[in-house]
């Protein structure tokens, strides 16, 4: 585990150096082709660096933050778009934080006393409850031999949800406290989604939605507007967005499993992209003249997401042994903390023994030197 932590530190030092380079050229290299050629080595490096970490948690989070978030933001930066180009006077720490963390700059004219309303229940109590539930799930895996495989898959789905929300929220909170940034909303009660459009666009992993919109959806929609008109341009744009999302998820899973992909993860997102495209088309044709009751639409939406996830998405965690490796890491962390606690206890006991064995005059000297 110590070797993995060392590799993790080396990787992030490389990330910081690379982002410092990007920051240094922002006012020197003009946006467009020249800047794109300048940052392409950084993009390639960010795709390579996660391969240096084999830990599920450290490697998975690093892959998501730099191979996906940072790379897409750097590509936007090459064309003078995105959060890295929003302010010419941006500071270096803020540039780095915006590049690789799920955060956004607080809107102008918005005071800290009156922040923007955040979606969903993102209070401390909400995250504390989800942290406890995550710990209970991890503990329940000890009895996986007595649990039905389908129930295990359900547990995986909640595990992914709780872990993603807590991980992204921690990064956003750190950036907000140290840099005064507004939190990027991460999740908005996805279990209450009333449609696929509502689930993927407004409730699930919104940091990914916010980065795919300017990099894939908007350029594709602009091209489609000239070809098929503004009314139907969102349809190919939505599907193209899911194609890119499928590719990025395959890359992330490759970092986790180091196994040649069989493209089932891609089929999950392509299926959802196709169904969402059909849903949007039906809404345009019907013009919202007919809607299902909210309770029924929620049950159908969540049921479709969960069933397709059990079919194509979550079995990959078992196939790539992500779950086994994650539990091994939990055990290593627990053993490390236990050993450190025993070591600290022995040192404290040893110090107390020295104190009780010292004469009174030497005891005063010992305490004053401590």
């Amino acid at each position: 585990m110590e070797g993995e932590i060392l590799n993790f530190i080396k990787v992030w030092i490389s990330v910081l150096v690379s982002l410092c380079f990007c920051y240094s050229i922002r006012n020197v290299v003009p946006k467009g082709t020249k800047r794109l050629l300048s940052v392409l080595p950084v993009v390639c490096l960010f795709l390579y660096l996660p391969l240096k970490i084999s830990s599920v948690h450290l490697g998975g989070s690093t892959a998501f933050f730099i191979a996906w978030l940072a790379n897409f933001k750097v590509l936007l930066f090459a064309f003078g778009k995105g959060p890295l180009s929003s302010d010419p006077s941006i500071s270096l720490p803020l540039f780095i934080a915006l590049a690789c963390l799920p955060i956004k700059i607080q809107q102008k004219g918005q005071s800290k006393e009156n922040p923007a309303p955040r979606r969903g229940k993102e209070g401390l109590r909400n995250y504390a409850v989800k942290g406890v539930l995550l710990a209970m799930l991890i503990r329940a895996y000890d009895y996986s031999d007595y649990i039905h495989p389908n129930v295990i898959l359900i547990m995986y789905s909640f595990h992914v949800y709780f872990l993603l929300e807590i991980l992204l929220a921690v990064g956003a909170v750190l950036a907000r406290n140290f840099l005064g940034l507004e939190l990027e909303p991460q999740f908005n009660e996805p279990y209450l989604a009333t449609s696929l459009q509502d689930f993927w666009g407004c409730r699930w992993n919104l940091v990914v939605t916010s980065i795919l919109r300017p990099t894939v959806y908007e350029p594709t929609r602009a091209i489609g507007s000239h070809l098929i008109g503004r009314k139907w341009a969102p349809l190919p744009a939505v599907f193209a967005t899911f194609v890119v999302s499928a590719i990025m998820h395959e890359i992330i899973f490759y970092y986790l499993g180091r196994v040649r992909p069989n493209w089932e993860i891609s089929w999950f997102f392509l299926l959802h992209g196709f169904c969402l495209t059909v849903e949007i088309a039906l809404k345009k044709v019907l013009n919202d003249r007919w809607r299902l009751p909210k309770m029924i639409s929620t049950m159908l939406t969540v049921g479709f997401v969960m069933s397709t996830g059990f079919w194509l998405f979550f079995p990959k965690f078992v196939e790539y042994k992500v779950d086994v490796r994650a539990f091994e890491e939990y055990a290593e962390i627990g053993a490390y903390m236990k050993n450190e606690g025993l070591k600290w206890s022995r040192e404290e006991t040893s110090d107390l023994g020295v104190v009780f064995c010292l004469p009174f005059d030497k005891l005063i000297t010992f305490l004053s030197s401590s």
Side-chain angles (χ1 to χ4, degrees):
M1 194 66 183
E2 293 181 359
E4 278 296 294
I5 294 176
L6 181 60
N7 289 337
F8 178 77
I9 294 173
K10 290 180 179 178
V11 165
W12 277 96
I13 290 175
S14 301
V15 171
L16 295 178
V17 172
S18 301
L19 292 176
C20 288
F21 165 75
C22 294
Y23 179 81
S24 66
I25 68 171
R26 75 192 194 286
N27 294 325
V28 178
V29 181
K31 62 183 179 181
T33 304
K34 290 185 178 180
R35 188 182 292 183
L36 176 62
L37 293 176
S38 299
V39 301
L40 273 181
V42 174
V43 174
C44 295
L45 178 64
F46 284 2
L47 289 172
Y48 167 75
L49 286 176
L51 295 173
K52 306 295 290 184
I53 306 174
S54 59
S55 165
V56 171
H57 294 90
L58 298 180
S61 58
T62 299
F64 176 68
F65 284 142
I66 67 173
W68 193 338
L69 291 185
N71 261 350
F72 277 49
K73 292 178 181 178
V74 167
L75 289 174
L76 287 173
F77 166 75
F79 296 96
K81 299 181 179 180
L84 303 184
S85 302
S86 59
D87 184 4
S89 61
I90 188 173
S91 64
L92 177 59
L94 184 55
F95 184 91
I96 293 174
L98 286 173
C100 54
L101 292 177
I103 57 178
K104 65 179 180 182
I105 300 177
Q106 191 173 23
Q107 296 179 358
K108 293 182 179 181
Q110 195 172 45
S111 64
K112 293 183 179 180
E113 292 78 11
N114 186 27
R118 292 175 293 174
R119 303 176 186 178
K121 300 176 180 179
E122 297 182 346
L124 180 60
R125 181 181 301 177
N126 183 41
Y127 288 116
V129 170
K130 289 174 180 175
V132 172
L133 291 175
L134 178 61
M136 293 172 62
L137 278 175
I138 295 172
R139 180 60 178 171
Y141 289 133
D142 293 338
Y143 307 95
S144 58
D145 293 338
Y146 308 99
I147 302 175
H148 193 277
N150 290 337
V151 178
I152 293 291
L153 291 179
I154 295 175
M155 294 167 62
Y156 286 163
S157 64
F158 284 101
H159 190 156
V160 171
Y161 168 49
F162 292 147
L163 186 62
L164 275 177
E165 183 160 14
I166 292 172
L167 175 66
L168 296 176
V170 167
V173 167
L174 291 176
R176 187 185 192 191
N177 291 337
F178 287 103
L179 298 173
L181 301 177
E182 180 187 351
L183 275 75
E184 183 80 28
Q186 314 302 328
F187 295 87
N188 182 20
E189 299 175 328
Y191 42 83
L192 298 180
T194 57
S195 66
L196 289 178
Q197 188 175 14
D198 183 33
F199 180 86
W200 291 111
C202 303
R203 294 184 180 275
W204 180 261
N205 205 356
L206 300 179
V207 65
V208 170
T209 302
S210 66
I211 199 64
L212 286 175
R213 183 177 290 112
T215 53
V216 183
Y217 176 80
E218 292 177 357
T220 308
R221 187 182 62 178
I223 296 173
S225 298
H226 297 290
L227 299 177
I228 58 177
R230 296 183 61 183
K231 180 178 180 180
W232 302 106
L235 301 184
V238 166
F239 191 77
T241 302
F242 274 84
V243 171
V244 174
S245 180
I247 294 172
M248 294 309 302
H249 276 88
E250 288 286 1
I251 292 174
I252 297 297
F253 268 84
Y254 179 78
Y255 290 137
L256 292 175
R258 310 294 166 88
V259 178
R260 184 176 180 178
N262 57 11
W263 308 109
E264 288 186 4
I265 296 294
S266 294
W267 280 114
F268 171 80
F269 288 97
L270 294 178
L271 174 62
H272 277 256
F274 174 78
C275 293
L276 178 52
T277 302
V278 172
E279 177 186 299
I280 295 174
L282 289 175
K283 288 180 178 179
K284 289 181 177 295
V285 171
L286 297 175
N287 198 21
D288 292 332
R289 289 192 300 266
W290 182 77
R291 289 185 179 182
L292 289 172
K294 185 176 180 180
M295 181 178 295
I296 295 177
S297 62
T298 297
M299 292 175 60
L300 290 175
T301 301
V302 176
F304 178 76
V305 173
M306 295 289 286
S307 60
T308 53
F310 294 156
W311 172 30
L312 296 171
F313 190 84
F314 294 112
K316 297 292 103 181
F317 287 90
V318 179
E319 181 179 336
Y320 295 164
K321 297 183 179 180
V322 175
D323 54 338
V324 175
R325 291 162 53 205
F327 303 149
E328 291 175 351
E329 291 178 14
Y330 292 141
E332 290 182 12
I333 294 173
Y336 176 80
M337 295 178 65
K338 183 178 180 180
N339 291 336
E340 288 298 313
L342 291 174
K343 181 179 178 181
W344 179 83
S345 178
R346 292 193 191 100
E347 290 177 353
E348 290 295 313
T349 304
S350 176
D351 288 344
L352 289 175
V354 171
V355 169
F356 286 122
C357 292
L358 286 174
F360 183 76
D361 58 338
K362 294 186 177 180
L363 173 61
I364 299 300
T365 305
F366 174 81
L367 293 176
S368 61
S369 63
S370 301

